[in-house]
Amino acid sequence: MAAPFVRAFMSTLGVLVLLGASVVSAAPSSLRIMAPAAPGGGWDQTARALQAVLTEQHIIVGGVEVFNVPGAGGTVGLARLVSTERGRGDLLMVTGAVMVGAILTNRSPVSLAQTTPIARLTGEYEVIVVPASSPFRTLGELLESFRRNPGSISWGGGSAGGIDHILAGLIAKEVGFSARQVNYIPFSGGGEALAAVLGGHVSAGISGYGEWRAQIEAGQLRALGITSENRLPGVDIPTLREQGLNIELANWRGLVAPPGISSAEKQALIEAVGVAVKTLQWQDTLARYSLTDYFLAGDEFASFLADETRRVRDVLLEIGLISP
């Protein structure tokens, strides 16, 4: 008599899977997500978007709490994760490319190598722009002037040592100059950088595509190149690679857990996040913020972190922001 019941149960379960409902058998009953920055920024937005998916899709059934630990490019939160939160299998921390640079420039006593890598989530590719009135019509024209006189071209972007600055340094290396020769002008926020570019106070601007997408689409800014490997669907901006620069760069965001958790706890977190990123709700979030699905989990993400740390260290050494 049990067979019909089993068949009915399995049929119902199959329907739930097709509808997108998911069950992660070993997932923690509740979860905390640390955003190691003040509310409202990119890491905080990522944490709260993931919180919504995990709860509304019933992936974590006992509740998901987001809390903020701001300071020093995320390294204050990182120190807490590595020390006082050690061994906690119900905690994730948002991290990203900015933290890799901050660890090095702030000479942080803790590093991402001491965490348990869970998953890389999103990537936002960088764009190089000039105002619509600029004489530079193409990236080639901009780089021709840069080659003739590196100091004559000013690059405006985010904070010194950040992802925008790193891109300017990589461009310099690609065209045969030291990254120290880049005339980089940092701004404290995207609004200030945008005003400087639109006002012609810098030769070119560097930022994430999503931040300046509206101005590009409105024709106020001319996008000369984007750092994706291939052109983005529906975005008519040539990549740096197709213009002769061997550069692919994304302002990525991901998740790490504390050190000292068990293999089972690590796998459960990876599975829960893996289910979340496959939902339509998460994909809608990516589209809303002009983000790319950049998912990479577990040991592969750990290898990426090691490679990324080496690459960022090399550029920051070239720029002169850290010493050997």
Side-chain angles (χ1 to χ4, degrees), residues 3 44 52 94 143 171 212 214 221 227 235 248 281 300 303 319:
D44 182 67
V94 181
L143 294 182
I171 291 171
W212 289 347
L221 295 176
T227 59
V235 179
E248 179 188 352
Q281 184 176 351
E300 290 183 324
S303 296
I319 295 171

Side-chain angles (χ1 to χ4, degrees), residues 175-231:
V175 300
F177 291 106
S178 165
R180 292 174 184 264
Q181 293 178 268
V182 173
N183 179 13
Y184 184 80
I185 301 175
F187 295 93
S188 59
E192 290 184 12
L194 176 62
V197 176
L198 290 173
H201 304 302
V202 292
S203 307
I206 299 174
S207 185
Y209 170 66
E211 189 154 4
W212 289 347
R213 175 180 176 179
Q215 289 76 25
I216 292 170
E217 292 178 347
Q220 296 174 289
L221 295 176
R222 182 183 305 127
L224 304 182
I226 193 165
T227 59
S228 53
E229 182 179 7
N230 302 301
R231 290 201 186 199

Side-chain angles (χ1 to χ4, degrees), residues 20 160 190 203 208 242 316:
S203 307
E242 68 183 271
L316 293 180

Side-chain angles (χ1 to χ4, degrees), residues 25 34 82 99 159 171 201 210 255 272:
S25 59
M34 182 200 303
V82 169
M99 187 180 290
S159 60
I171 291 171
H201 304 302
L255 299 164

